[in-house]
Every structure is written in structure tokens, then in C-alpha cells.
């Protein structure tokens, strides 16, 4: 499914006069973090490719964004499908040419201790949380390089939503933490291989964020104590505004409290 819309450009749109606004792709765009990022980038004037598995949720997101920002298209894609990943990258390139910001927000997670964790769940977490980002970055690199070459002082960015569990282990999140640790490592590898060409990557590793995905811990953590999705959206936009000379491999975000690495 692909859908396009165009609304008036926002007053704070980046870029100089006569220059096309930058473009971004967001996976998992209809989720709590993804939708917050979509809203923030829309207000900043980005042209967007918004992707997710749920077509109805994407349509609702489009309705929410209507009249608030710049041009966008919707592309339904399952991150466990290589064909969908290739089609998503192609759809963005066909519509916008280059890619200034790739936001890897799609993800999945289930809890369970190592002793009896089902391997089929482990495999799905690795597929969606690691293999899919790797494949999508691979497919999007030409567009990211084109954006970096067009604006060498600014470059292009990859922002990957990782997790505090990928830095500091938590009981019951071994598989999820391993997948997010691999995503953090992937961002570091992108920097090692591509930053000299202006393509840089940052893994954002928050503790529990106030989204549906964190509902399973509501019995012990008040949602009002969790990280707001809007805070992550602000970080993504700030990263996108840095110069190509600044490489930020990792941002860890802990909830307020007495524990330093508090998920």
C-alpha cells in the first residue's frame, strides 16, 4: 500500500531558499515513538516516507499529520520481509531521490528468561530488530550517500531506536537486550565505514518509554515515570541538524531515579 499527500510547508523547514526540504524515512511510524518522531519532523518541514505493517494505523497517522507539515507518502511494509524492505527503499528513492534521515523505529520485543525462552521468539526478535535494520540500511545507502554529497557540510543520518537493555542487562530481557546491543553495534559499524562520506549513525537507547510496548510493566512502573516519546523525537531532530563533522554513536536515556542505568 502506498499513499501520498502534500500539505503546506512548515515555517521552520530546514534548508535554504530554493533548496528542496530534506527527506526522512521512518519505520514503525505508527507506533508510539515512531508517530512522535513523524509529528516532530513534519513540523520541521521534512518530506516523509512513513512505514509500518498496519495500513489502518498508517492511515490514522496520515490523518493526524494532515495540514501540519510537508509532503509525505505511506508505504506498508513488514520488516521480516526482504521484498518489503527493498520495495520500501525503492519507494522513497523514486519519490524523493535522496535520503537525509533514516529513522529505524520498527521493533518487536517479548520478555522471558534464558532458561525457557522459545527460540522461535528469539529468531523473530533478531529478524525484526537486527536483520531488518541491516538490510534496510544496505538498501538505503545509495540515497543516504546522495544526500550527504548534495549537502557535504550537513551530511545524512541514521537514527536507530535501541534500548537501555542493550547496554545494561535486565532479567527477562536477554533476547531483546541482545538484539538491541547488536543494533547499537550496527550503528558504530556504519560510522566506521561511512562517516568519511558524510553518512553517520546514532543508536538512541532509552529506558522504558510511555508506549503500548511498555504496558507489560505498568504493574511496577507508573507510565508517568516513563520517558515521553516526544523527548526521543526531539533528540532525533537535534541529531539531524548536526554537521557531518560530529559523530554521535550512542545516546543513553535513563529514567529519573537513583539507579544510573535505569531502564
Amino acid at each position: 500500500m502506498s499513499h501520498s499527500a502534500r500539505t503546506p510547508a512548515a515555517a521552520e523547514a530546514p534548508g535554504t531558499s530554493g533548496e528542496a526540504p530534506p527527506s526522512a524515512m521512518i519505520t514503525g511510524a505508527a507506533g508510539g515513538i515512531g508517530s512522535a518522531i513523524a509529528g516532530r519532523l513534519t513540523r520541521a518541514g521534512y518530506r516523509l516516507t512513513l512505514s509500518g505493517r498496519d495500513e489502518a494505523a498508517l492511515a490514522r497517522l496520515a490523518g493526524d499529520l494532515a495540514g501540519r507539515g510537508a509532503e509525505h507518502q505511506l508505504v506498508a511494509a513488514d520488516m521480516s520481509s526482504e521484498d518489503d524492505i527493498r520495495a520500501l527503499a525503492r519507494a522513497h528513492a523514486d519519490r524523493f531521490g535522496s535520503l537525509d534521515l533514516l529513522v529505524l523505529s520498527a521493533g518487536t520485543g517479548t520478555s522471558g528468561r534464558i532458561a525457557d525462552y522459545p527460540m522461535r521468539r528469539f529468531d523473530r526478535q533478531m529478524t525484526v530488530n537486527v536483520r531488518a535494520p541491516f538490510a534496510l540500511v544496505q538498501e538505503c545507502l545509495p540515497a543516504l550517500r546522495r544526500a550527504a554529497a548534495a549537502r557535504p557540510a550537513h551530511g545524512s543520518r541514521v537514527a536507530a531506536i535501541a534500548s537501555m537493555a542493550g547496554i545494561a542487562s535486565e532479567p527477562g530481557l536477554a533476547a531483546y537486550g541482545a538484539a538491541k546491543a547488536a543494533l547499537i553495534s550496527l550503528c558504530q559499524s556504519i560510522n566506521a565505514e561511512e562517516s568519511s562520506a558524510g553518512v553517520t549513525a546514532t543508536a538512541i537507547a532509552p529506558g522504558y518509554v510511555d508506549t503500548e510496548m511498555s504496558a507489560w510493566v505498568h504493574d511496577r512502573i507508573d507510565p508517568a515515570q516513563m520517558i515521553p516519546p516526544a523527548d526521543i523525537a526531539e533528540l532525533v531532530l537535534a541529531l539531524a541538524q548536526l554537521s557531518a563533522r560530529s559523530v554521535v554513536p550512542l545516546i543513553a536515556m535513563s529514567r529519573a531515579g537513583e539507579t544510573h542505568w535505569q531502564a
Side-chain angles (χ1 to χ4, degrees):
M1 183 274 289
S2 181
H3 167 82
S4 300
R6 183 188 296 272
T7 54
E12 61 174 300
T16 58
S17 178
E19 183 181 79
S23 70
M25 178 195 297
I26 306 172
T27 66
I33 294 174
S35 62
I37 295 170
R40 189 65 190 94
L41 294 182
T42 293
R43 294 194 301 275
Y46 276 75
R47 300 172 296 157
L48 299 176
T49 295
L50 304 171
S51 181
R53 286 191 305 160
D54 188 333
E55 295 187 21
L58 283 176
R60 288 193 295 272
L61 174 63
D64 291 342
L65 298 180
R68 292 170 48 193
E71 179 182 1
H72 66 264
Q73 67 172 337
L74 308 180
V75 181
D78 183 341
M79 290 295 100
S80 65
S81 166
E82 283 193 44
D83 288 342
D84 281 10
I85 289 170
R86 293 191 190 98
L88 174 58
R90 186 167 56 249
H92 182 92
D94 289 348
R95 179 66 174 271
F96 299 119
S98 61
L99 176 59
D100 297 273
L101 174 62
L102 171 60
V103 181
L104 302 171
S105 185
T108 187
T110 56
S111 63
R113 290 181 175 265
I114 296 170
D116 53 6
Y117 195 80
M119 289 308 299
R120 67 182 183 280
R121 291 186 183 177
F122 179 91
D123 291 342
R124 176 160 178 76
Q125 291 208 59
M126 289 298 169
T127 296
V128 175
N129 296 340
V130 183
R131 195 176 194 277
F134 189 102
L136 187 57
V137 168
Q138 188 176 69
E139 293 292 328
C140 288
L141 266 176
L144 288 163
R145 289 168 177 161
R146 284 194 293 271
R151 296 197 299 166
H154 190 82
S156 60
R157 297 268 167 180
V158 176
I161 308 304
S163 170
M164 184 66 75
I167 300 173
S169 300
E170 181 172 334
L173 292 179
Y176 184 72
K180 292 301 187 177
L183 184 59
I184 292 169
S185 179
L186 173 60
C187 288
Q188 294 170 357
S189 295
I190 293 168
N191 291 329
E193 296 183 5
E194 298 291 335
S195 62
S196 60
V199 181
T200 61
T202 302
I204 299 174
Y208 287 109
V209 181
D210 185 15
T211 66
E212 289 185 9
M213 193 170 177
S214 297
W216 70 284
V217 292
H218 282 178
D219 61 332
R220 61 185 177 90
I221 301 175
D222 185 344
Q225 296 177 340
M226 294 181 179
I227 296 169
D231 286 359
I232 297 176
E234 290 294 340
L235 275 181
V236 170
L237 180 59
L239 288 167
Q241 294 174 330
L242 296 177
S243 77
R245 291 180 290 173
S246 296
V247 178
V248 184
L250 173 65
I251 297 175
M253 300 177 69
S254 175
R255 289 185 299 114
E258 297 178 354
T259 303
H260 183 56
W261 298 112
Q262 179 164 271

